[in-house]
């Protein structure tokens, strides 16, 4: 089996293309390194398109994912070019992200069709995370050594963006370890989890919670796994709340978040970000009512409010404000459609459905605290992965029926 994997040139090309796109999105999406970002991601796009289209003699079957991606990015561009309320719209950047998303679908679809898909999928994510962690540790070694400062600003976007990027990759590594039981996967997952916590992003805690669910659902002895996860969770809780190094970075922020959510406390010691975002979400729903069906246009929330932010920090309110119920439904319909399909497959013990379902659920939760639709293509991994998994399963069943006939 290993020899066959190594000899499969298509796998090597798709694997390399995925690794390049991941590294570009995680490490180099910032003004200083944009040429590297475009170079790495562009190379990944070209490799994936060449392998999928050119080598197939320009034959391409249009799948639902490509139709959906084309529809929503066309919507974004029409609104951005003709119904822009404030600021600017970078149509070229959005177009580049669109091609990255299509490339991701090609890659996932081809890799998930393999008999041991978890092994084929593990390699590019492993490569990307090893590079990203080494790059992070080198660039921010002083901050890590001395402590007291959230890490991740030297990578793409901000520390919250980096936490979610790490989270998307670490969920694949968690699933890979759960299926293959390779210690190096667990070690890399654990290192990634620590770095996620060091970003100080509260989203890291949410992602870790869903990764624990991955470990649990993939386990055979769920009672013993549940006990180990409880112990591990308590250890992380003690680490975050009792160890000063981690408490300064994320412990204070978690305590403040719970105070703002459940106690309404104004005696905060660190951050009011949760309270501010809740106010923006409420304002977003109020702004949405002005144009509920088709929305008020691109950056309508920014145009109508005085928070000083160009977006509402919530994907749901941002889509509703900009594109109305029509655009909101167009965007989120496949999330719920694919999720229901994966849950149906889970009842038949299909292993890939567990990862796909938890990825989608994680993104649906995270979207309450971030705007993902107009950002990096890596935030589209959950829905694209679920599309590719569903299509790969349907293709496999069609081939079996054809062979039996």
């Amino acid at each position: 089996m290993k020899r066959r994997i190594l000899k499969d040139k298509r796998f090597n090309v798709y694997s390399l293309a995925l690794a390049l796109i991941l590294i570009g999105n995680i490490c180099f999406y910032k003004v200083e390194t944009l040429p590297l970002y475009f170079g790495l991601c562009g190379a990944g796009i070209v490799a994936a398109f060449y392998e999928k289209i050119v080598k197939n003699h320009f034959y391409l079957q249009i799948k639902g994912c490509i139709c959906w991606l084309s529809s929503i990015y066309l919507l974004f561009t029409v609104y951005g070019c003709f119904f822009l309320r404030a600021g600017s719209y970078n149509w070229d950047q959005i177009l580049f992200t669109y091609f990255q998303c299509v490339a991701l679908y090609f890659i996932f679809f081809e890799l998930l069709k393999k008999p041991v898909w978890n092994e084929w999928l593990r390699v590019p994510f492993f490569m990307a995370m090893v590079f990203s962690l080494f790059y992070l540790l080198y660039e921010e070694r002083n901050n890590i050594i001395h402590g007291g400062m959230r890490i991740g600003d030297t990578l793409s976007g901000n520390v919250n963006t980096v936490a979610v990027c790490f989270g998307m990759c670490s969920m694949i590594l968690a699933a890979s370890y759960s299926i293959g039981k390779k210690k190096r996967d667990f070690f890399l997952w654990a290192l990634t989890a620590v770095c996620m916590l060091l970003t100080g992003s509260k989203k890291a805690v949410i992602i870790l919670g869903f990764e624990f669910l991955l470990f649990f659902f993939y386990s055979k002895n769920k009672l013993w796994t549940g006990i180990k996860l409880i112990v591990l969770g308590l250890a992380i809780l003690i680490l975050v709340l009792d160890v000063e190094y981690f408490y300064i970075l994320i412990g204070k922020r978690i305590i403040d978040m719970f105070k703002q959510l459940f106690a309404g406390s104004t005696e905060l010691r660190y951050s009011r970000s949760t309270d501010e975002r809740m106010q923006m979400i409420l304002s977003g729903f109020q702004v949405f009512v002005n144009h509920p069906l088709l929305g008020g246009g691109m950056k309508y929330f920014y145009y109508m409010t005085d928070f000083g932010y160009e977006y509402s920090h919530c994907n749901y309110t941002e889509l509703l404000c900009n594109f109305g119920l029509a655009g909101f439904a167009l965007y989120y319909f496949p999330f719920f459609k694919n999720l229901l399909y994966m849950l149906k497959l889970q009842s038949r013990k299909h292993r890939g459905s567990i990862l796909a379902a938890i990825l989608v659920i994680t993104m649906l939760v995270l979207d309450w605290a971030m705007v993902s639709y107009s950002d990096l293509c890596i935030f589209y991994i959950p829905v694209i992965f679920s599309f590719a998994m569903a299509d790969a399963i349907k293709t496999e069943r069609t081939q079996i029926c054809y062979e039996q006939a």
Side-chain angles (χ1 to χ4, degrees), residues 145-163:
I145 292 172
H146 297 103
M149 184 175 294
R150 300 168 68 183
I151 68 171
D153 275 329
T154 59
L155 274 63
S156 296
N158 55 39
V159 291
N160 295 311
T161 301
V162 172

Side-chain angles (χ1 to χ4, degrees), residues 68 73 80 87 183 267 364 396:
W68 175 72
Y73 275 96
K183 292 182 179 180
E267 298 179 1
L364 288 173
E396 179 185 0

Side-chain angles (χ1 to χ4, degrees), residues 9-58:
K9 295 181 180 179
R10 175 169 296 183
F11 168 77
N12 289 334
V13 172
Y14 282 122
S15 178
L16 179 61
L18 179 54
L20 290 174
I21 292 174
L22 291 173
I23 292 171
N25 276 261
I26 296 171
C27 298
F28 301 118
Y29 185 66
K30 52 186 178 180
V31 175
E32 300 85 355
T33 54
L34 273 182
L36 269 175
Y37 165 76
F38 285 115
L40 290 172
C41 296
I45 293 170
V46 171
F49 272 71
Y50 177 81
E51 197 71 9
K52 181 68 176 180
I53 300 175
V54 178
K55 282 200 171 183
N56 285 327
H57 306 289
F58 296 94

Side-chain angles (χ1 to χ4, degrees), residues 32 53 56 78 86 96 113 146 150 154 200-201 219 224-225 227 240 244 266 287-288 342 345-346 381 386:
E32 300 85 355
I53 300 175
N56 285 327
V78 169
F96 188 71
K113 288 194 301 183
H146 297 103
R150 300 168 68 183
T154 59
S201 175
S219 66
W224 177 234
T225 301
I227 293 173
V240 168
E244 185 179 6
T266 58
V287 171
F288 150 70
M342 292 303 144
L345 289 175
Q346 172 55 19
I381 282 180
S386 66

